[in-house]
């Protein structure tokens, strides 16, 4: 699968809002950080791979206007892991925006990274776009669900800015990605999410983490995007848990004032340490 997507690649230039200055987003996801600086996940020191991916972003896509963090920020959900992440993010001088994943403690994400309450949707408007983030985690279990208050919050955020192109970010995939084990943890009420996006045609894209692999599809006018983790990658199409030897990376997005989305993936050249292949999960 090509790792660059452009929703409107052939538009002409010359005053075309699809070629004017875009809003530049850097997505960093599934960092799986540990409180212990030496913490490793299947052979990888996740602080090290995170810092390497960040260094790559600083070479290839800098500066972004916003950094989006789409969950599983800490593997052990301990305060020191979030404190470390906050320290690294604050050094960058770029606004950041996050949602928790199923490995996180949402109240620690909220308090440490200053996300605001996640009982509803959180949105910000910039350069003609509305960025809306919703927490898709459940108090127990690994799968995804959008509670009534979050769905209401999303609808409210969309009603408030019908004239702004919109990108929605969350942790869980709202559509199956073709891997049975990870699709057992899909967003279980995606029909309610899509009922809302159907009512609000300004929504241009959905962006998530969780699947630790690049994914791109369309649903009508909507672009659906999943992204690699900054640490381990999951093998696409695998029925059971399996690692992909592809190295860690990030997704970049350019959101143009005319509604066009250009996006791609950048990856490290290699893992810093040998990957511990296993079929028994992580
Ligand atoms: Fe994850």
């Amino acid at each position: 699968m090509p790792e660059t997507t452009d929703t409107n690649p052939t538009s002409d230039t010359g005053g075309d809002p699809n070629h004017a200055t875009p809003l530049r987003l850097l997505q960093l996801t599934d960092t799986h950080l540990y409180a212990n600086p030496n913490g490793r996940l299947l052979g990888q020191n996740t602080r090290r791979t995170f810092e390497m991916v960040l260094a790559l972003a600083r070479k290839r896509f800098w500066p972004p206007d916003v950094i989006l963090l789409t969950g599983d920020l800490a593997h052990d959900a301990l305060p020191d892991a979030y404190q470390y992440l906050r320290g690294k993010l604050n050094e960058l001088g770029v606004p950041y925006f996050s949602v928790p994943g199923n490995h996180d403690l949402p109240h620690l994400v909220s308090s440490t990274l200053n996300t605001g309450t996640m009982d509803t949707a959180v949105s910000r408007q910039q350069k003609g776009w509305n960025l809306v983030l919703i927490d898709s985690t459940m108090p127990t279990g690994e799968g995804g669900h959008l509670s009534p208050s979050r769905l209401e919050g999303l609808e409210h955020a969309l009603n408030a800015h019908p004239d702004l192109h919109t990108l929605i970010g969350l942790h869980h995939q709202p559509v199956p990605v073709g891997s049975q084990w990870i699709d057992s943890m899909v967003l279980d009420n995606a029909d309610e999410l899509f009922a809302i996006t159907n009512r609000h045609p300004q929504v241009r894209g959905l962006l998530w983490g969780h699947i630790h692999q690049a994914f791109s599809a369309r649903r009508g006018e909507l672009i659906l995007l999943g992204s690699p983790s900054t640490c381990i990658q999951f093998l696409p199409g695998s029925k059971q848990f399996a690692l992909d030897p592809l190295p860690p990376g990030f997704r970049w997005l350019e959101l143009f004032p005319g509604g066009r989305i250009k996006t791609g993936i950048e990856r490290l050249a290699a893992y810093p340490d040998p990957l511990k292949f296993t079929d028994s999960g992580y």
Side-chain angles (χ1 to χ4, degrees):
M1 181 190 299
E3 293 206 311
T4 303
T5 304
D6 191 331
T7 59
N8 193 8
T10 56
S11 282
D12 246 317
T13 53
D16 183 343
N18 273 326
H19 287 84
T21 305
L23 177 66
R24 288 160 55 85
L25 300 189
L26 170 64
Q27 183 197 15
L28 299 171
T29 196
D30 293 82
T31 48
H32 287 268
L33 301 164
Y34 290 86
N36 182 339
N38 299 315
R40 283 177 182 262
L41 182 60
L42 299 181
Q44 302 306 313
N45 179 315
T46 56
R47 290 194 183 196
R48 186 169 179 204
T49 57
F50 169 67
E51 288 175 22
M52 290 173 73
V53 169
L54 201 48
L56 180 68
R58 295 190 74 149
K59 276 191 202 151
R60 301 272 176 84
F61 190 74
W62 207 260
D65 294 302
V66 179
I67 296 174
L68 291 184
L69 301 135
T70 42
D72 281 1
L73 307 179
H75 192 72
D76 53 15
L78 292 173
D80 283 356
Y82 297 107
Q83 291 289 352
Y84 159 82
L85 178 58
R86 181 173 71 174
K88 285 288 162 195
L89 292 170
N90 285 348
E91 285 171 9
L92 301 173
V94 175
Y96 54 85
F97 213 23
S98 61
V99 285
N102 45 293
H103 280 271
D104 290 308
L105 280 177
H107 75 274
L108 284 182
V109 174
S110 171
S111 60
T112 315
L113 301 180
N114 197 24
T115 57
T117 174
M118 292 308 288
D119 290 334
T120 180
V122 175
S123 67
R124 80 188 285 154
Q125 297 76 47
Q126 204 166 340
K127 289 190 179 173
W129 279 77
N130 192 13
L131 305 178
V132 184
L133 287 187
I134 29 177
D135 180 354
S136 59
T137 64
M138 296 191 279
T140 57
E142 305 284 285
H145 183 79
L146 295 175
S147 65
S149 66
R150 291 170 186 158
L151 289 166
E152 275 170 32
L154 173 62
E155 186 108 48
H156 180 77
L158 296 174
N159 280 333
H161 298 284
D163 51 333
L164 295 183
H165 305 300
T166 301
L167 180 75
I168 297 172
L170 71 169
H171 181 65
H172 291 85
Q173 74 272 33
V175 294
V177 297
S179 183
Q180 207 172 326
W181 75 275
I182 196 88
D183 285 337
S184 71
M185 296 176 269
V186 73
L187 187 75
D188 70 4
N189 60 339
D191 53 334
E192 293 184 81
L193 171 61
F194 288 129
I196 292 175
T197 60
N198 287 345
R199 287 197 289 276
H200 296 275
Q202 78 267 29
V203 180
R204 298 288 177 158
L206 297 176
L207 175 68
W208 59 85
H210 191 50
I211 61 173
H212 292 225
Q213 61 196 269
F215 177 87
S216 173
R218 297 203 69 114
R219 186 179 188 279
E221 293 298 307
L222 268 184
I223 188 166
L224 309 175
L225 297 167
S227 305
S229 159
T230 65
C231 56
I232 58 170
Q233 312 301 307
F234 300 150
L235 187 66
S238 179
K239 278 190 179 174
Q240 286 101 27
F241 175 86
L243 287 181
D244 190 335
L246 270 182
F250 67 86
R251 179 179 287 284
W252 57 266
L253 301 102
E254 291 183 333
L255 310 180
F256 290 85
R260 169 189 175 204
I261 297 176
K262 189 175 178 191
T263 181
I265 302 289
E266 294 277 352
R267 294 180 189 269
L268 301 180
Y271 279 99
D273 293 305
L275 196 55
K276 282 190 182 164
F277 284 93
T278 174
D279 57 7
S280 59
Y282 71 112

